[in-house]
Amino acid sequence: MSDLYLSSFRAEPRILRLDGADNLVVAVDAILPGDRASGVLARDKIPRGHKMALRRIGIGEPVIKFGQPIGLACADIAPGEWVHVHNVSLTALPHADFGTGTYAADQPAFGVPSTFQGYRRRDGRTGTRNYIGILTSVNGAACVARFAADTLLRLGVLDAYPNIDGVVPIIHGTGCGLAERSEGYEVLRRTQWGYACHPNFAAVVMVGLGGEVLQIARMKQECGVEESDGFRTLTLQEAGGTRRTVEQIVGTIREMLPRAASARRETRPASELMLGLQCGGCDGYSALTANPALGFASDLLVRDGGTSILSATPEIYGAEHLLVRRASPGVGDRLMKRLRWWEDYAARNGAEMNNNPSPGNKAGGLTTLLEKSLGAVAKSGQAALQAVYEYAEPVRTHGLVFMDTPGFDPVSATGQVAGGANLICFTTGRGSAFGCKPVPSLKLATNSEIYHRMTDDMDINCGEILEGVSLEAKGREIFDALLRVASGERTRSERLGYGDAEFVPWQIGAVM
């Protein structure tokens, strides 16, 4: 973004040239045949967010955006032509160099570090919300968790406890039909206990069926967790069926409520914030507005000693060289090993790593996996990469870290929350609707059109960057909003009630 150029000719469609080496521009406004933009006469209709060639790009020649190749021309492209999937193919992946960058974002904060109002928990971590959780070890316990939550709501049990944000049934579709000594089992166990111990839960009841593979007793033993006034477990089979289980859950939560409600917000340093970086429904503006602005906010958090988690391994594939250059050899090697794992995983399942972008991404202007990945990495700002974690692994490192997750948004965010994220920031250009209880999720619109069309869902309009607001100003706006939300301000998705259905653990391996 260092050579950002915005056309100053008001009579012409607005365009962006992101780097002096680029052989294309991005259309801010739709370009029609015969329009002149950046001194080039358009030959085709160029939709908003899509790309137009500035000069002739011969077949086999690199197509350059962000100053980097995003593909090869698979046909001769004339100046003024639409540059997209019909004339661009994926190029070879760039070479990864370890630790070749120096990054100002790694410097400590200037002045007094930022603070927020959070809930200090017994384990030393800080929550941004104060929920009661009903977790399920298996799909067979899903209904009783919902029944219990609905009963508490119907009876108005929480009315006397305004300091409790709600009761959240955390249900899923697995827990049985998997090998008990397998990668899939370990991933699910980590995810469950990450939620059970999450600082945004003041108290948790975990309920199982009784005969499932993911046994509660075994998980408690492996994780070294004891029953307490903030954590209880039961199974339908031991409790005596559905009605008795619901009654027991409701009774247990009634007992837990006074202690949970006694928690009070207090001033905490921003170093105790852990931010999950997410993007979904990306478009041609994602890499120009919301993602780099979020990256700037992430750098501010890192400077204050906080943690940002970049994820979605398939969506950084092809741009990993930008991350390993910011990592030590050990950290970079760990990231590359996860990418090799994904190549094997995709092959075993008859898939390819370059199956991105999605149809919605392409409609929004993204042409190749490289283009999408370069934009996705922009969410990470400029900070050095400090660590690489497996899915749902507890994050214990401050600074920018990477967590290996699928690109599918709810699965990726579930892993981040299980790892300890107490905030989520989600950029979107196509209008993804998302929430992530017990963690608040801010939605950042990449363009003004989607912000105004889905105003009830969007928290911040990053499209203003195309209208003259600087990346730095928008990044600070995002950072300030994160502090307010961490202190209790509700996001749009929270006001709408999103978050009960977005717990989606990564399911790896055969379903037996």
Side-chain angles (χ1 to χ4, degrees):
M1 298 298 293
S2 60
D3 294 315
L4 188 67
Y5 170 75
L6 181 61
S7 176
S8 60
F9 297 100
R10 295 188 179 181
E12 298 180 355
R14 295 175 299 163
I15 55 92
L16 288 169
R17 189 178 183 186
L18 306 175
D19 189 278
D22 291 357
N23 51 16
L24 54 79
V25 292
V26 179
V28 176
D29 302 316
I31 301 174
L32 298 177
D35 284 347
R36 188 170 293 277
S38 193
V40 176
L41 196 67
R43 294 170 177 259
D44 301 319
K45 179 180 179 181
I46 317 294
R48 293 187 317 112
H50 287 241
K51 300 173 289 294
M52 184 187 78
L54 282 179
R55 63 170 178 80
R56 181 185 178 277
I57 307 173
I59 187 169
E61 186 179 344
V63 176
I64 307 296
K65 183 181 178 183
F66 313 108
Q68 302 201 41
I70 63 169
L72 297 176
C74 56
D76 287 333
I77 305 174
E81 280 192 3
W82 182 28
V83 178
H84 202 30
V85 293
H86 60 288
N87 53 19
V88 180
S89 63
L90 189 66
T91 188
L93 302 182
H95 175 68
D97 300 313
F98 297 111
T100 58
T102 55
Y103 298 90
D106 297 321
Q107 299 173 0
F110 298 101
V112 180
S114 304
T115 61
F116 71 104
Q117 299 298 307
Y119 295 100
R120 184 71 166 170
R121 303 302 187 191
R122 293 180 179 180
D123 65 359
R125 294 186 297 168
T126 300
T128 59
R129 293 295 182 267
N130 200 39
Y131 279 106
I132 305 290
I134 306 175
L135 273 63
T136 56
S137 64
V138 66
N139 177 255
C143 283
V144 295
R146 287 198 184 279
F147 294 160
D150 291 344
T151 299
L152 289 162
L153 181 63
R154 186 179 70 254
L155 296 176
V157 173
L158 297 186
D159 292 348
Y161 302 98
N163 199 37
I164 301 295
D165 289 307
V167 175
V168 186
I170 301 293
I171 67 174
H172 59 99
T174 183
C176 206
L178 70 163
E180 61 179 322
R181 301 292 177 185
S182 67
E183 190 172 23
Y185 175 90
E186 290 302 320
V187 164
L188 183 58
R189 181 182 65 81
R190 285 202 304 267
T191 305
Q192 287 283 0
W193 285 114
Y195 271 70
C197 304
H198 198 280
N200 280 15
F201 281 132
V204 166
V205 176
M206 179 174 280
V207 56
L209 181 60
E212 61 270 19
V213 172
L214 195 70
Q215 285 285 307
I216 291 178
R218 176 185 166 187
M219 288 192 289
K220 287 163 61 177
Q221 182 179 16
E222 291 174 341
C223 296
V225 178
E226 300 283 345
E227 300 264 334
S228 68
D229 54 356
F231 179 75
R232 304 281 181 82
T233 66
L234 72 156
T235 68
L236 275 84
Q237 293 167 1
E238 291 178 346
T242 299
R243 292 187 184 279
R244 291 177 181 175
T245 303
V246 171
E247 290 171 359
Q248 191 168 331
I249 294 171
V250 170
T252 299
I253 289 177
R254 283 182 182 274
E255 295 173 4
M256 291 174 156
L257 280 171
R259 172 186 167 276
S262 68
R264 293 291 182 271
R265 291 187 182 273
E266 57 183 91
T267 301
R268 305 304 308 166
S271 59
E272 295 179 4
L273 290 176
M274 189 176 293
L275 174 64
L277 306 171
Q278 285 290 326
C279 59
C282 299
D283 66 353
Y285 299 129
S286 296
L288 316 180
T289 61
N291 285 3
L294 177 54
F296 189 91
S298 174
D299 285 344
L300 292 177
L301 179 61
V302 167
R303 286 192 177 189
D304 271 345
T307 303
S308 285
I309 310 173
L310 181 66
S311 298
T313 312
E315 295 185 358
I316 62 100
Y317 189 71
E320 65 270 14
H321 60 292
L322 299 181
L323 293 172
V324 298
R325 287 172 184 169
R326 297 150 58 181
S328 68
V331 172
D333 184 61
R334 185 171 170 83
L335 178 62
M336 296 306 294
K337 285 180 178 178
R338 295 315 300 165
L339 287 164
R340 300 293 84 83
W341 182 94
W342 268 94
E343 289 175 335
D344 177 67
Y345 179 62
R348 281 188 280 120
N349 289 278
E352 296 181 1
M353 289 295 286
N354 63 355
N355 65 348
N356 270 309
S358 70
N361 298 149
K362 292 174 182 177
L366 297 178
T367 300
T368 67
L369 171 65
L370 290 180
E371 183 180 10
K372 183 176 181 181
S373 294
L374 289 165
V377 168
K379 300 193 302 294
S380 66
Q382 297 295 315
L385 184 64
Q386 301 291 345
V388 174
Y389 290 93
E390 293 191 22
Y391 186 85
E393 191 178 358
V395 175
R396 308 188 190 282
T397 306
H398 290 268
L400 174 67
V401 303
F402 186 85
M403 178 178 283
D404 179 26
T405 76
F408 184 39
D409 309 322
V411 179
S412 181
T414 294
Q416 291 177 330
V417 173
N422 50 17
L423 287 172
I424 296 286
C425 240
F426 192 114
T427 72
T428 183
R430 304 288 292 171
S432 298
F434 183 77
C436 197
K437 290 179 182 176
V439 174
S441 174
L442 284 89
K443 301 295 290 299
L444 313 183
T446 72
N447 61 84
S448 296
E449 191 275 335
I450 200 67
Y451 176 81
H452 293 298
R453 178 148 48 96
M454 297 183 65
T455 184
D456 290 337
D457 295 85
M458 301 295 141
D459 294 283
I460 294 176
N461 180 15
C462 294
E464 291 177 337
I465 293 169
L466 302 176
E467 299 155 13
V469 175
S470 70
L471 281 174
E472 291 78 6
K474 188 58 65 172
R476 290 188 181 280
E477 179 185 342
I478 294 168
F479 181 69
D480 291 342
L482 286 169
L483 295 176
R484 295 196 307 272
V485 168
S487 300
E489 182 178 296
R490 297 174 71 203
T491 67
R492 297 295 177 91
S493 62
E494 287 182 295
R495 295 174 194 171
L496 289 169
Y498 274 96
D500 288 338
E502 283 80 4
F503 178 74
V504 188
W506 187 8
Q507 191 168 353
I508 302 175
V511 178
M512 303 296 191

